[in-house]
Amino acid sequence: MSNFFWYLTAFLVSSSVLPNGSPVLQVVSAQYLLGLGIGDITGPVVETNMMGYASLSQTDTGLHMRERSRAFIVADAAAPNNRIVFINADIAMGDSGVRRSIVSQLSTQFPGVYTDSNIAFVGTHQHAGVGGYLENLLPQVTSLGYVKQTADAIIAGTVRAVQRAHTSLAPGKLSLGNTTILNANINRSPTAYLANPAAERARYPFDQDKDMTVLRFDDANGNARGLLSFFAVHGTSLYGNNTLVSSDNKGMAAYLYEASIEPNTMPGNTTFIAGFTQSNVGDTSPNTLGAFCESPGEPFDGQPCEAEHSTCGGTVQGCHGRGPGFRISDFESNRIIGDAQFQGAKTVMQGTMSPVQGTVRSVNVYVTMANHTFTLPNGTSVSTCPAAMGFAFAGGTTDGPGALDFVQGDNTTDPQNPFWEIVKGVVTPLPSAAQKACQDPKPILLNTGFAHTPYEWAPNSVNIQMLRVGNFVMLVMPGELTTMAGRRIREAVRAKLISTGVLGPDAYVVVAGPANVYAHYVTTREEYGVQRYEGASTIFGQYTLDAYIEKYSSLVPFLADGASGTATSDPPPPEQTSKAISLQTAVVFDSAPIGKKFGAVLTDVKTTPPYSAGQTVSAKFVGANPRNNLRLEGTFLTVDQSVGGQWRTVRSDSHPSTIYNWTRVSTILGTSSVTISWTIESGTPAGTYRLSYFGDSKPLIGSISSFTGTSSSFTIA
């Protein structure tokens, strides 16, 4: 969300370790009904803004790996109505509008089984997915409004994943374990982290959490059916200049694990389901080499960025984080960070794990965060604020630098730029004295909590949700908690679980998010005072974390074995998709060049000499716009091998070794081309292969029709 300010005005004009101290135990049976499922949620892979970096120029041009939702159902075998469904989706964050539709469809199909209380909709926070699906206006700015096709794909695929999980319900066992993963994340705002009390920091060996927690799903015979892992690392391995839709490092980890179990099964069709869930991600980065100045011709080119403000020569634009595969590509960095999580999860799954035993419970309420008044543990009455974004929000991060003259780490009340002090009141209402005092020391750039035209810019009401499975409790968070914020809320809720007798000393608590509704960031009060990107994006003010701790803790009794009654709730977020603006133009028509047909080969593969591992084979075809048919649960391409005189598909557009790239040749004539490429993996069998392209063309008058293009055959030695 760092580069949005370039495009804001134009958009408006055109739209009028076991961290909880639990010992590792031998595995003991714990009986549940378990269901696991997966569904394709990939939206339009071309001509649509991507979600995460808030860059108008990041419009997708093709596909690297499909996005998927993975659903995990746990029901108490003795009382099957006590159940939860945890959805881990390869998207940037959960959204209230998308979740509303998912809940509506599931509660209609399964009355009284899946409800608003027990459905958690969690995003992996990856930044290479299709955008336009969030219902609040601010994240719609660079996507030119709401993209219904994106939202519909997420809803349909997620519901399909839950349906498949429901169909697969069978008796099983759960167990817990964890491990430490080094070299897979760093803290991208270490100067803000240092503002936390020294005594508190001394309790932890790192300035980010390096523990991965794994919840293992077994069948009744002890055979693994899948896993849910929790590890904090931003989904920003793929940079902001990438235009291929993908699932970033957590999607890569899921692919690697599932493929290792069922290597001959196409991605998306495995029965083993691996969920790599996001945790207290706020200040983490996968760009583990650190941030450096990319400023050719300047004396500081190649030097580390200035630490406090993440600048190079006084501006943020040249300061970029570098992933571990920086010298090769960001896709290599993505593979490395994904592999680190895969290897970590595999280590836990192959080791001794602790049994999960006990009932299944859930609680979900809504809290109006604007002016939410509560009492701190010291007896002081405090209040959260209506939403607002600080100046450092526009400064971006080292994963995705911002624009213009905005920087991180500046909490001065003096005008940072006289021009923006004048025009910010045109974009959103100027903040009142009360709002300024409430958000202090944040200098307000966008007063989003008071911006209601043409519809709500920011969320006001958020989900407070917890899921309990035996001694394991998931705090499903509506935002991105920083490292220390996550530690504090985990510790507070765990203490409450134990002190109230809901759970014993083996209580294990994790954070999962951003989920359900996107309420941006959550820092500690100390970090908020520094006003780096994360603090400037803590929209409800300095007491946001304290408010969440107070509210989540207050709901602990509803997780007790014999809990009854309904927790008090504020109204849910208002429905806004019916009001949504969309400036994305529809596909008008497709046409093939004179003398050519759709799918015709324009540039063929090499037929001689043979290819070998590490080489890339590609072919270009007469194409059509893939927005005509998203081919959910299908593919835009295949790599086929000749086996016994028959063609057998060995790769699809969900394999990381393949790329589907679409290019508009002429808007007026409606022509386009598609390039399909495959980088041959080590160990690929020698033989004869071909590339196939699957498309759908739209005539000016008439219905969409499908077609296929096929390259010449080629050999691999």
Side-chain angles (χ1 to χ4, degrees), residues 477-612:
M477 303 296 305
E480 303 176 52
L481 279 75
T482 60
T483 298
M484 196 64 85
R487 291 167 176 170
R488 288 185 188 179
I489 196 168
R490 286 198 311 255
E491 187 174 76
V493 173
R494 182 173 182 271
K496 187 66 176 287
L497 286 163
I498 296 171
S499 67
T500 56
V502 172
L503 292 177
D506 63 343
Y508 198 115
V509 180
V510 296
V511 165
N516 296 332
V517 58
Y518 187 56
H520 297 266
Y521 281 72
V522 184
T523 63
T524 67
R525 270 186 274 166
E526 295 86 351
E527 293 164 348
Y528 185 87
V530 177
Q531 281 297 295
R532 281 181 62 85
Y533 177 84
E534 296 81 15
S537 303
T538 297
I539 61 176
F540 300 120
Q542 64 173 315
Y543 294 111
T544 300
L545 173 61
D546 301 280
Y548 284 145
I549 291 174
E550 184 270 339
K551 194 62 184 179
Y552 278 85
S553 298
S554 74
L555 295 175
V556 161
F558 291 94
L559 299 181
D561 288 1
S564 60
T566 303
T568 302
S569 177
D570 292 335
E575 189 279 326
Q576 299 199 104
T577 56
S578 61
K579 311 172 190 175
I581 295 168
S582 179
L583 302 181
Q584 186 185 51
T585 57
V587 178
V588 179
F589 72 101
D590 297 288
S591 69
I594 296 173
K596 299 285 187 181
K597 294 182 178 180
F598 289 110
V601 176
L602 295 173
T603 304
D604 209 350
V605 300
K606 294 187 302 180
T607 55
T608 57
Y611 289 89
S612 58

Side-chain angles (χ1 to χ4, degrees), residues 268-414:
N269 294 321
T270 58
T271 56
F272 184 96
I273 308 298
F276 285 80
T277 306
Q278 196 55 267
S279 192
N280 48 326
V281 63
D283 52 1
T284 67
S285 172
N287 294 311
T288 53
L289 298 184
F292 291 84
C293 295
E294 297 178 6
S295 311
E298 299 291 346
F300 43 79
D301 181 41
Q303 299 299 309
C305 304
E306 182 272 334
E308 187 175 352
H309 304 293
S310 297
T311 55
C312 298
T315 64
V316 300
Q317 284 81 3
C319 179
H320 293 271
R322 294 179 178 178
F326 170 74
R327 296 298 177 187
I328 301 173
S329 72
D330 52 344
F331 286 88
E332 175 63 8
S333 293
N334 187 59
R335 186 199 63 78
I336 292 171
I337 299 299
D339 185 67
Q341 293 173 79
F342 158 51
Q343 297 296 341
K346 187 166 73 169
T347 296
V348 178
M349 292 284 283
Q350 293 176 346
T352 301
M353 301 183 73
S354 173
V356 174
Q357 300 179 91
T359 192
V360 179
R361 306 287 298 180
S362 63
V363 61
N364 177 63
V365 301
Y366 297 94
V367 174
T368 301
M369 287 295 287
N371 304 312
H372 173 66
T373 301
F374 63 102
T375 302
L376 295 173
N378 65 8
T380 304
S381 179
V382 295
S383 197
T384 55
C385 321
M389 313 297 296
F391 271 74
F393 162 71
T397 72
T398 54
D399 291 335
L404 304 174
D405 53 358
F406 297 102
V407 299
Q408 296 192 73
D410 192 343
N411 61 10
T412 177
T413 56
D414 297 329

